[in-house]
Every structure is written in C-alpha cells, then in structure tokens.
Amino acid sequence: MAKKKEVKSLSEVTVRFAGDSGDGMQLTGTQFSDTTALFGNDLNTLPDYPAEIRAPAGTLYGVSGFQLHFSSSDIYTPGDNPDVLVAMNPAALKINLKDLKPSATIIVNIDSFDAKNLKLASYASNPLEDDSLQGFNVIPVPITSLTAAALEGSPLSTKEVTRCKNFFALGMMYWLYGRPIEATLSWINQKFSKKPEIASANAKALKSGYFYGETTEVFATSYTVEPAPLPKGTYRNISGNQATAYGLAAASVKSGLPLFLGSYPITPASDILHELSKLKNFGIKTFQAEDEIAGITSAIGASYAGSLAVTTTSGPGLALKTEAVGLAIMTELPLVIVDVQRGGPSTGLPTKTEQADLMQAIYGRNGEAPLPVIAASTPSDCFYMAIEACRLATKYMTPVILLTDGYLANGSEPWRIPHVEELQEIKVKQRTEKEGFYPYSRDENLARPWAVPGTPGLEHRIGGLEKSHIYGNVSYEHENHDFMVRMRAQKIKNIENDIPDLEVRFEQEGDLLVLGWGGTYGAITEAVLCARKEGLKVSQAHLKYLNPFPKNTAEVLKKFKTVLVPEINLGQLSRILRAEFLVPVVNFNKMKGLPFKASEIEAEIMNLLGGKQ
Amino acid sequence: MANNIDSNEVKLTAKDFVTDQDVRWCPGCGDYSVLAQTQRVLPDLGLPKEKIVWISGIGCSSRFPYYMNTYGFHTIHGRAAAIATGTKLANPELSVWVATGDGDLLSIGGNHFIHTCRKNIDLKILLFNNRIYGLTKGQYSPTSEKGKVTKSSPYGSIDFPFNPVTLALGAEASFVARALDRDPKHLQYVIKRAAEHKGTAFVEIYQNCVIFNDGAYSSLSEKDTRDDNVLYLEHGKPMIFGKNKDKGIIVDGTTPKVVSLTEGKYSVNDLLVHNEFDKSVVLAYLLGQMSNHAEFPTPVGIFRQISKSTYHEDMEKQIQEVKAKRGEGDLEKLLFSGNTWEVK
C-alpha cells in the first residue's frame, strides 16, 4: 500500500514529450491535450516533428516533440520553456535540454540510454551518470522494461509490446498531474476496435504507468492545475486544420451552397482534406486531384457550376496555383484558397511553421490581380475566418486567400463551440432572371452576376481574355482594359467598408504599438500582457485582414510613436505598411521554423521602451 | 438518351448554337468544319442549350466556346480537362465538352488528360490535332513528326511524337475515336457517338492548319489518295480499304499486315473484324499503332468503347451511402462532436 503522497497546486505547467518519430509522441501529446482540455484547463500546443515519417531510430534528426502549456487561467502560447520534459531516448534529451527551465523536471526512459543510442545522440558519456544534468530534477524510469513487464503474457510480439511504451509514459504523466485516464481509455478502445489485443495492451500500459506513478517512490509529489475560469459554454479542443474544415462545412450550410474541395495532399494542409473527406453526409464533394493545379482548377470549374468551391494547400502549392488564381480573378468567380504556410522557399521546412507567404498571397500573380487576403490568428479562429473567406468570395465574386500556418494548423486550444444559429447566414444570389442579364454587369458591390450553367436563357461565355465592361465579349480595347483593371481593383478595395476596424487593445495612442498578423497573436498577447505587468505602456493590435486593410489602419499607425511588427518572415507586413501608409515601423523577425516565444517579443518591447530586460 | 441527363426533348437546329461573335480562325482552317459539324450534331442530342457547357484551354481551337451558343469557359493553357472535371462533378446534370489542341491537351495539359481518362470523368474531349503550335506561330508540337522543321526546330525536331489514340488507350479511356476534319459526315457520326458515351469520350480530330502545317493530312483527305490511306473502322465488319476495296488487314501473331484481296491468297474471311467493345485493349492498341505509318492505312472511327462506372456516379453513390449510414449531415451535431465539456 503506497503512502498518501503530497499534492501541490500549480497555476500553469509546460510539458514537452519527446522521442523518436516512431515513438508515438504526437499521439501521446494529443491525448494529454484532449484530456487536459476535458479537465477544464486552458491550453495551447506546439507539435514539432521531422519531415521524415520514420527517421532512423535514435538519431538526433529523428526526434519528434509535442509541447503543451496548460493553466488555471487564460493562456496564449504553448509556453516558452518546458517545466517538464519526457525524454524517451538520449537524442530526445540532447535536442530538448537547451529549451528547459533551469530547474525543470526530466523524466527519462533509462532503458534507451545504452551505448548505441548514446552514440547515435553523439553523447561521449552517459548524461545520466555525469554531472551534465545538474540542477535538473531527473527522474529515471525504465519505461520500456516496465511496459514489457506489465504486458507479460500478452500475445503481442516484443516489438509490438515495446510500441506500447508511450502509453505507459502517458499514464505516468496523467498521475503526475492528476488527470483522469478514462478519455484516453475510451479513445484506445475506439481506435483499436478491430485489433482488440492491441487495444488491451495499450490500455494496460496506460493503467500501469498511472499506477506506477502512484506507487513508486520516485515521484514524491503530484501536482494539480485547477480548471481555468473560461466563459460559460460547451467546449472542445480543436486544431487549426480541423477548425478550418469545420468552418468550410459551416459556410456551406449557412450559404446553402454545396461544398466542393479540389485539393492535392501537402504538408501541413492535408488534414483539411482528410476532415472534409469524412463529411460526405453533408453532401461535400472532395476531389483529390492529380496535382496542385488540378486542385484549384477543378475548384474553379465547380465554382463556375455554382458550388462553394475551395482549394487547400501550402506555400509551394500556392505557387503552382498562381496562374489559376489569376483566372478566377479575371472571370470573377468565387473561390476560397487556404494556404497553410510552412517554412520556405521551395520545399523548405515542410513540417515547420512560417509566415513568409504574405507577399505571395497579396502580390504573387501576373498582371494587376488583387484579391482579398485574410489570416486566422488562433487555431479556433480558423473556423471563423474560413466562414469569412466564403462570405467575401461569394459576395464579391472573387477568389479569397485565407492564410493560416503550420503552428495554427497542428496546434490546438479549447474552443467554446458556437451554436449553428449564432453563425451568420451567408446570403448568396445566383442569377436566374433573363431580363437585363449581362455577364459583366455589376451590382452595388461591383460584383458581376453568378449565372451558373443549367440556368435557361443565361448562356454566356467567360474566359481569361479581357472582357468588355457589362457585355463580357472579348475586348482588346485600350480604354476598356484600363477601365476593367481599375474596376477589379476598386471592387477589392471596397471590401474595406465591409470588414471590422482594426481594434487597439489598451492605450489608443502612445509610445508603442505591437502590431501582428496571423499565428503570432498568442505570443504577442502574452508578451504585451507581461510587459504591462512590468508597468510598461504598450498597446496591441492584430490584423486579420491583410488586403484590403481595415479602413482605420493608417489612423491607428499614426497614433503611436513606434510600431513594432513581429513576423516569422523577413518583414513582409512591415514592408507593405511602409509602402501603403508611409509610416516607419520596426521589424522584429525570426525564421527558425518555430513560433515566437512570448519572452522574445517581451524583450524587444523592453528594448524599445528603454526598460530593463 | 445517354449521360443520364434527364431533360425534355427540345427541338433545336444548328443555328441555335451559333453565337453573335465573328469567327476569327484563318480562312480555310479545319476548325470551321469541326464547329459546323458539332453545331449540326448538338440538336440531335435533345438537350436544352443551358445544359451544355464547352470548356477550352489555350490555342486556336480553344476559341471554340466563344462560337457555341451554350455555356462556355475559355480557360488557361492545359487546364481545360481539370476545370471541366470540377464543373461535371459539381453538376452531373450538365453535358460537359472540352475543346482542345495537341499542345494544350498533350503537352502542358498532359497530366490532366491521362488522369481524366483514368478516373473516367464523364467529359467529351475533342482534340483538334493539327500537329503544330498555331497560335504561337509555328513551333513543333508533341504530335509533330520527328524531323519536322519548324521555327523552333530549324534543323528538324528530335522529339518522338505522342500518338494520342494509344496514349488515351493506355490511360484507360473508356471511349477512344478518331475522325477527319475533311470528312464531315463521319465526323458528325463520331461526335454523336462520343456524346452518347457514358464516361471519358476522347475524339482525336485530324485538323489541318492552313498557315503553319498545311497538308499535314492531305494523303488522308485528298480524293485521289484517301481511299488507299484511310481505314474506316466499323464494328463487326472486316477491315477493308483501298480505292477498289481490294485491301485488308490481317494479324500475323501480334503484327498487323496489309494484304491484297485480289491475289487469291487472302479473302474477306481472313481479315481482322473490328470489335469496338472488346474488353481487351489489345486490338484497339494495335490499330492505334497503325496511324501515320507508311505501311498502313490510318484507322478512323471508334477504336474502343467500354462500359465502366463514371467518377460522378461513384461520387454520388458514396455520398448516398454515407448519408444512409451516418444520417444527413447535421452541423450542430458535428460541431459538438468528440470530447466536449461544460463550463458553467
């Protein structure tokens, strides 16, 4: 009988799970997140995995990690530096050690610290036996052998038994932070319903890990992180890609238009295709095309036929789609293009995050080819911005680019689920009246009519060649082209009247505004809040509309002596702001394939305001 | 009526399909014939104009939609098949046609072409094959013969050409045919057969470019030579050709041979009999390889037509199956699915 152990209360914890890319660390992290969300904590996650699916075991480049920050109050980031590292092998320890807090807890799987793995991780001596981990609270656990012992007599092979060790580790962590194991147990049973022996082994490993924590002497204390006081409602944990998919499905329901997705698999956007492919009972048609170009062009063809058409991709895919985006602009067909940005250029860093497609999204086409560009700022915001993209596309008869990024796409957070009736209707007109129909006539929004094939009496021809105003015949007239170029630009510019103003949080004018866009929202928010706690007067604003900008953007920018623009690129928004508004802005840039740490931005704020660092 | 298009029979004439736009092809261009024959065939399909969509890429032939009084979409280079795929899948009620050229379909659009065939997307693809780039003023195309001298191959092209018929057969197209711009009746027949086919219907049309490749098919179209150089494929009929119907095709092992029917060695009974509906692709492929060959007549007609489920049918079927299994999609239920918890 184990004696009653001490329970300490914490307000927040950052945990990182790390192991080989075949160790199931992403799964372990996701399960811990879901359970933690169910428990009622606010949380934020950062999966970080290599592009190789199963990199050679034990290598430094094969390390896969999942970081999770959870708290009893609001949080905005996955945490700068972990309090706890679960390292499944020496490589995982080596890669992650530098990020840990000075007195962090390190739970290591000592079974993997053999000569071979130490060598693969380039350790000259065993770090568990020398003094290199001094200051850390190292908890050595023979995770592999304990898992094997727990599963003795199991019909599984040794290899299969070994693969259950992540559930042992997860069970241990559940005990350590007072989380219930039931949600994961039922997930295991569902996931492996067709392989009952695997299900039972994983469940047993999970429970054994939990009981190990309870009984063993190595853990003297367990911790509790109380639920966060979130606004009332029903919650679920949601990732950015899932939220994007649900937002698109919601837009289909709210507009009454059938959804068509033309897409080609690409990291980190494929999960949107996966999610929507499941939703066939919504009448959603997903078409896995032969290439990126067919992804967008099939969507254009579907839009032409009257569907709510979408294509999803990442930076290299958007580059391939470029010419077709121009066609959608020229033919003024509604289309939503989701770009889940990743490290570039070229193949770049497929599994890592970046914000360097902003210029590509706004300007990357031949000719004068403006379109609305909007960006989601948190995983759950992807839901609302996907709906907004659909609204703008259909109202203004234009392609719209929605930018998210790898961090938002794979990261997750608790989301207060909206009821369907709370979501705005998307009113769509498809032309049926024959009287006075001209393919390039325009409504009050300068949008041309959406007259879809199948509609009697409206037979007409569209295409990529310049068309005459109103009548839509091919036109090479000089004056007409000049007119149409300006008309298309004006149509997009006018959208500024239909989007919310840029909101400034805290002082409406002053010395410093931190202005961000997209996935940096969390880190900037936390940095600004921390700086303000230190007594610094700093305001925050976040752009969700990048083209056109909110109408009051110039006004906001001019009210601050300094505008700091942190971006995961070399200063793309900064450049546009300077060009558009003739204001000086200060860049703050990082391109490490990782999101900003709040502390990095906070340091920059301190620096600019002359405060202490 | 084919295409599962359920519509009331409409009485239209060729004139109903003529637009108010001036046709801007060069005088004497083979495209005029294709346009005229198509406009003659479409009324026979019994489809109202609004159910017909013409989608094209870039090139001379891709101006086609502007001249057809139906719905039309002149798109970008090479992508017509992919765009048409989206249109057909979004609304299977439509009869979707692709007008394209040898550069558009087989060079820049080659990938979309083979995948359209593979997936059996229900599109009618008319390939205007003039074996040259016309709109860019005369470069060799992927169907130009090796050695062809053009602006971009002043010393002769070193490319081996594609044979569109065997390419389509290799890509598992369910309907593969060929016709000549200069044989209007036969062209009409082939277009009509394509229209009636369920699935990807590919028609290669030998089309003369009067400016940059004039006479490319003259041996197949000129009165004095055509009978000896063209083999009309007819289902169930032996393969006879020649001015005096005195030559035929036999197969020796896997090799086709031209034989004389007047020398006493072979009779009609020895000849290869055409089977459009052969499950095996071998016969059609063998015939396809006889094209543009000094030894053989060039076959025209339906090489092969097979029946298999179309992409949109399978797509609709799957949607219905999932609806039956999981119930009609309920957004509220979806959003509140998975692990949820209440904050009070």
Side-chain angles (χ1 to χ4, degrees):
Chain A
M1 199 56 194
K3 63 174 191 259
K4 195 98 181 129
K5 292 186 180 179
E6 187 193 359
V7 180
K8 267 193 196 159
S9 179
L10 299 172
S11 61
E12 60 175 314
V13 178
T14 299
V15 174
R16 188 182 290 178
F17 294 94
D20 262 330
S21 47
D23 276 346
M25 291 297 98
Q26 299 306 318
L27 191 152
T28 309
T30 311
Q31 281 302 309
F32 196 92
S33 307
D34 285 354
T35 291
T36 295
L38 269 174
F39 187 75
N41 295 126
D42 196 7
L43 69 88
N44 203 297
T45 70
L46 174 64
D48 183 26
Y49 51 90
E52 293 76 17
I53 301 302
R54 293 280 184 276
T59 56
L60 292 166
Y61 56 86
V63 172
S64 170
F66 189 103
Q67 186 165 316
L68 164 81
H69 181 197
F70 59 104
S71 155
S72 58
S73 61
D74 278 6
I75 48 169
Y76 302 96
T77 70
D80 287 359
N81 303 99
D83 301 289
V84 184
L85 171 70
V86 179
M88 299 301 278
N89 67 11
L93 177 67
K94 183 149 204 182
I95 290 279
N96 292 293
L97 193 64
K98 61 182 186 309
D99 296 334
L100 303 183
K101 282 189 186 145
S103 59
T105 296
I106 305 174
I107 301 173
V108 288
N109 177 16
I110 48 167
D111 288 333
S112 65
F113 279 67
D114 56 16
K116 185 183 160 207
N117 281 325
L118 288 166
K119 195 175 163 210
L120 280 168
S122 308
Y123 271 120
S125 68
N126 189 341
L128 304 178
E129 289 162 5
D130 58 29
D131 56 3
S132 59
L133 300 180
Q134 222 169 22
F136 293 108
N137 172 28
V138 181
I139 302 179
V141 182
I143 296 177
T144 314
S145 45
L146 285 170
T147 306
L151 298 182
E152 213 180 291
S154 151
L156 299 185
S157 68
T158 312
K159 199 174 160 195
E160 285 169 321
V161 164
T162 305
R163 284 178 66 181
C164 296
K165 66 180 183 295
N166 61 327
F167 281 101
F168 187 94
L170 180 62
M172 213 161 55
M173 292 300 284
Y174 278 165
W175 176 82
L176 193 59
Y177 289 100
R179 327 262 97 177
I181 62 171
E182 282 68 30
T184 296
L185 282 178
S186 73
W187 179 87
I188 289 172
N189 285 330
Q190 209 184 330
K191 175 85 182 171
F192 301 104
S193 63
K194 292 199 177 116
K195 295 173 184 160
E197 56 295 347
I198 304 246
S200 104
N202 280 330
K204 203 161 179 191
L206 181 76
K207 286 182 195 164
S208 305
Y210 190 92
F211 296 144
Y212 176 79
E214 199 170 52
T215 17
T216 183
E217 298 290 321
V218 298
F219 296 109
T221 316
S222 76
Y223 302 91
T224 167
V225 178
E226 291 300 314
L230 297 167
K232 266 205 290 195
T234 306
Y235 282 76
R236 67 181 290 166
N237 197 34
I238 197 151
S239 72
N241 273 345
Q242 194 176 23
T244 302
Y246 284 9
L248 295 170
S252 167
V253 170
K254 297 305 262 189
S255 64
L257 294 174
L259 187 68
F260 180 95
L261 172 69
S263 186
Y264 186 76
I266 185 169
T267 303
S270 305
D271 279 339
I272 305 172
L273 168 63
H274 304 163
E275 284 297 329
L276 287 173
S277 298
K278 290 182 206 159
L279 304 181
K280 297 228 180 324
N281 55 334
F282 285 77
I284 292 172
K285 292 176 180 171
T286 54
F287 178 67
Q288 183 175 313
E290 57 271 22
D291 57 30
E292 290 282 356
I293 296 171
I296 185 170
T297 48
S298 63
I300 290 173
S303 165
Y304 175 57
S307 287
L308 180 61
V310 181
T311 187
T312 49
T313 190
S314 185
L318 184 60
L320 284 164
K321 294 178 195 296
T322 296
E323 188 196 10
V325 178
L327 177 68
I329 290 172
M330 195 63 159
T331 51
E332 304 189 41
L333 285 169
L335 175 69
V336 171
I337 302 149
V338 182
D339 174 8
V340 185
Q341 300 166 96
R342 69 188 212 188
S346 187
T347 311
L349 304 172
T351 60
K352 313 290 180 191
T353 199
E354 205 161 274
Q355 289 187 300
D357 292 350
L358 182 62
M359 289 287 189
Q360 179 178 216
I362 297 182
Y363 300 116
R365 284 166 294 282
N366 64 306
E368 292 290 346
L371 52 65
V373 177
I374 63 178
S377 51
T378 69
S380 66
D381 189 43
C382 292
F383 176 80
Y384 299 101
M385 293 313 276
I387 297 176
E388 178 66 348
C390 296
R391 181 186 77 90
L392 294 175
T394 50
K395 183 167 176 182
Y396 294 92
M397 293 292 284
T398 178
V400 175
I401 294 180
L402 167 60
L403 294 173
T404 72
D405 61 46
Y407 163 62
L408 295 179
N410 291 321
S412 66
E413 63 177 353
W415 177 43
R416 194 194 68 78
I417 311 167
H419 288 285
V420 174
E421 74 262 15
E422 295 168 35
L423 303 173
Q424 210 189 334
E425 297 292 327
I426 299 177
K427 285 190 202 119
V428 176
K429 299 177 280 191
Q430 284 180 348
R431 175 94 187 196
T432 51
E433 318 87 51
K434 219 171 139 175
E435 207 56 45
F437 168 72
Y438 293 105
Y440 277 78
S441 62
R442 292 182 189 276
D443 68 8
E444 66 280 11
N445 301 315
L446 303 184
R448 72 173 195 92
W450 196 2
V452 309
T455 315
L458 302 189
E459 296 82 14
H460 66 284
R461 274 63 58 191
I462 58 171
L465 284 172
E466 182 64 282
K467 297 293 184 290
S468 64
H469 177 47
I470 300 176
Y471 303 104
N473 291 321
V474 174
S475 169
Y476 302 106
E477 295 290 325
H478 313 295
E479 295 305 321
N480 180 73
H481 180 57
D482 185 86
F483 177 86
M484 291 297 272
V485 167
R486 291 172 198 277
M487 172 67 83
R488 287 186 287 267
Q490 192 61 48
K491 178 175 87 166
I492 303 306
K493 174 80 174 144
N494 285 358
I495 293 175
E496 69 182 15
N497 300 313
D498 195 17
I499 58 176
D501 271 352
L502 178 61
E503 242 178 84
V504 178
R505 209 171 160 201
F506 311 118
E507 290 80 16
Q508 298 299 301
E509 54 191 297
D511 290 338
L512 180 61
L513 174 74
V514 186
L515 178 66
W517 70 276
T520 54
Y521 174 76
I524 293 175
T525 304
E526 195 169 310
V528 167
L529 290 175
C530 291
R532 290 184 65 85
K533 263 192 205 156
E534 301 280 324
L536 295 173
K537 283 221 159 70
V538 48
S539 303
Q540 181 192 0
H542 209 73
L543 283 165
K544 297 174 72 161
Y545 296 83
L546 284 317
N547 192 48
F549 285 119
K551 233 166 140 179
N552 67 332
T553 307
E555 206 181 311
V556 167
L557 292 173
K558 281 168 186 155
K559 282 190 175 148
F560 291 87
K561 266 192 211 146
T562 307
V563 176
L564 172 66
V565 182
E567 290 181 87
I568 317 274
N569 60 41
L570 276 181
Q572 299 192 9
L573 176 64
S574 306
R575 214 180 163 91
I576 298 170
L577 292 173
R578 290 186 197 111
E580 287 279 315
F581 304 113
L582 300 175
V583 290
V585 297
V586 179
N587 288 6
F588 183 57
N589 310 103
K590 157 173 161 176
M591 276 133 304
K592 297 184 176 179
L594 289 167
F596 278 114
K597 288 179 179 177
S599 56
E600 293 166 340
I601 297 172
E602 193 189 346
E604 192 60 20
I605 293 172
M606 301 270 188
N607 185 29
L608 287 170
L609 291 178
K612 59 182 175 5
Q613 288 205 23
Chain B
M1 196 64 246
N3 282 319
N4 0 322
I5 292 168
D6 179 28
S7 54
N8 301 323
E9 287 280 315
V10 204
K11 286 271 173 282
L12 295 170
T13 66
K15 269 194 184 156
D16 290 308
F17 290 97
V18 177
T19 65
D20 59 358
Q21 301 294 299
D22 295 330
V23 183
R24 295 194 188 181
W25 290 313
C26 308
C29 175
D31 291 358
Y32 283 96
S33 167
V34 185
L35 178 63
Q37 305 331 317
T38 309
Q39 286 168 335
R40 265 169 217 150
V41 168
L42 289 184
D44 296 347
L45 304 181
L47 288 171
K49 287 192 293 185
E50 70 269 15
K51 292 261 169 106
I52 301 172
V53 185
W54 280 89
I55 296 179
S56 65
I58 292 293
C60 294
S61 60
S62 287
R63 298 297 175 95
F64 200 88
Y66 292 122
Y67 310 135
M68 290 295 297
N69 194 5
T70 62
Y71 280 91
F73 196 171
H74 176 214
T75 72
I76 44 177
H77 205 15
R79 317 302 167 202
I83 289 173
T85 293
T87 301
K88 180 70 191 182
L89 299 185
N91 184 359
E93 296 284 301
L94 301 171
S95 173
V96 183
W97 295 71
V98 173
T100 182
D102 36 318
D104 195 49
L105 188 73
L106 302 177
S107 196
I108 190 168
N111 199 31
H112 308 308
F113 174 55
I114 55 174
H115 288 278
T116 298
C117 294
R118 169 176 74 86
K119 294 179 178 183
N120 202 29
I121 313 274
D122 191 11
L123 304 179
K124 315 302 153 212
I125 302 173
L126 303 190
L127 166 64
F128 297 51
N129 182 8
N130 55 15
R131 308 175 81 183
I132 197 81
Y133 280 95
L135 202 59
T136 49
K137 303 193 173 180
Q139 300 81 14
Y140 62 97
S141 91
T143 55
S144 297
E145 59 276 24
K146 194 169 165 66
K148 185 160 195 78
V149 174
T150 70
K151 282 184 189 155
S152 57
S153 56
Y155 307 109
S157 159
I158 55 171
D159 285 26
F160 292 103
F162 261 141
N163 176 336
V165 162
T166 53
L167 179 67
L169 289 167
E172 304 287 337
S174 53
F175 179 97
V176 179
R178 180 188 288 143
L180 299 162
D181 58 354
R182 296 279 294 274
D183 187 346
K185 278 268 148 9
H186 183 257
L187 176 56
Q188 286 176 30
Y189 167 74
V190 170
I191 293 174
K192 188 150 186 250
R193 284 285 304 273
E196 288 166 357
H197 177 67
K198 254 178 56 175
T200 307
F202 171 68
V203 181
E204 179 190 20
I205 301 166
Y206 281 171
Q207 172 252 323
N208 191 44
C209 171
V210 281
I211 306 296
F212 295 108
N213 201 15
D214 196 21
Y217 303 112
S218 58
S219 69
L220 309 179
S221 55
E222 295 308 318
K223 231 181 190 162
D224 48 339
T225 55
R226 67 187 178 200
D227 295 336
D228 285 326
N229 290 308
V230 179
L231 170 68
Y232 283 88
L233 300 173
E234 288 178 84
H235 179 69
K237 302 245 173 96
M239 293 180 198
I240 300 177
F241 70 102
K243 220 174 243 169
N244 306 312
K245 304 272 174 212
D246 55 353
K247 287 181 271 192
I249 304 291
I250 62 158
V251 177
D252 178 6
T254 54
T255 313
K257 270 188 181 163
V258 174
V259 296
S260 163
L261 297 174
T262 54
E263 289 166 7
K265 197 175 171 197
Y266 294 99
S267 81
V268 168
N269 298 332
D270 300 312
L271 300 183
L272 200 52
V273 174
H274 188 45
N275 179 6
E276 290 174 354
F277 312 111
D278 202 346
K279 287 244 160 10
S280 157
V281 75
V282 173
L283 172 67
Y285 199 89
L286 184 143
L287 291 168
Q289 284 190 311
M290 285 165 41
S291 320
N292 310 309
H293 209 288
E295 276 177 56
F296 298 108
T298 293
V300 298
I302 319 299
F303 285 76
R304 186 171 184 238
Q305 179 177 23
I306 55 165
S307 168
K308 59 180 179 182
S309 65
T310 64
Y311 195 91
H312 71 265
E313 285 170 342
D314 287 345
M315 186 177 238
E316 294 289 335
K317 197 173 132 209
Q318 202 169 50
I319 287 174
Q320 293 316 320
E321 281 167 2
V322 177
K323 279 183 177 175
K325 204 172 152 195
R326 297 178 56 187
E328 192 79 30
D330 178 336
L331 183 60
E332 183 87 3
K333 242 164 113 184
L334 173 71
L335 298 182
F336 285 79
S337 65
N339 286 328
T340 62
W341 69 97
E342 288 294 325
V343 172
K344 293 190 176 127

